[in-house]
Amino acid sequence: GMEYIDSYVFNKVEHIRFNSTVGRYVGYTEHGVKNAEAWNSDAGILGQEQAQLESYCKHNADIDYSAILDKT
């Protein structure tokens, strides 16, 4: 399977991460946890992350996969 991770890092500390396998945000700091709760309850924001997974990851995976097949 494919996993898409979107990390939000500030001052070299990861505060919040979207993980496509879980399908939601996870907070790692007090501030990150608050944002995660807010963003997880916002279908529009979650939808944007899912769209990123679809458009970017799947598109590029297809390109990479075909490049690998061309070389074999």
Side-chain angles (χ1 to χ4, degrees):
M2 188 181 309
E3 184 172 64
Y4 169 66
I5 304 243
D6 193 2
S7 291
Y8 294 79
V9 176
F10 187 70
N11 288 343
K12 299 184 181 170
V13 176
E14 185 178 25
H15 289 275
I16 189 168
R17 173 192 292 185
F18 175 83
N19 182 323
S20 68
T21 303
V22 201
R24 57 191 286 119
Y25 291 93
V26 179
Y28 294 99
T29 61
E30 188 181 348
H31 185 68
V33 168
K34 284 180 186 164
N35 277 346
E37 286 173 4
W39 295 356
N40 283 330
S41 64
D42 188 324
I45 294 176
L46 287 177
Q48 283 179 330
E49 293 285 5
Q50 290 301 138
Q52 290 280 353
L53 169 69
E54 294 296 324
S55 66
Y56 182 79
C57 298
K58 302 232 163 98
H59 173 73
N60 285 299
D62 290 343
I63 292 171
D64 292 343
Y65 189 64
S66 61
I68 291 165
L69 290 180
D70 289 344
K71 289 189 172 83
T72 55

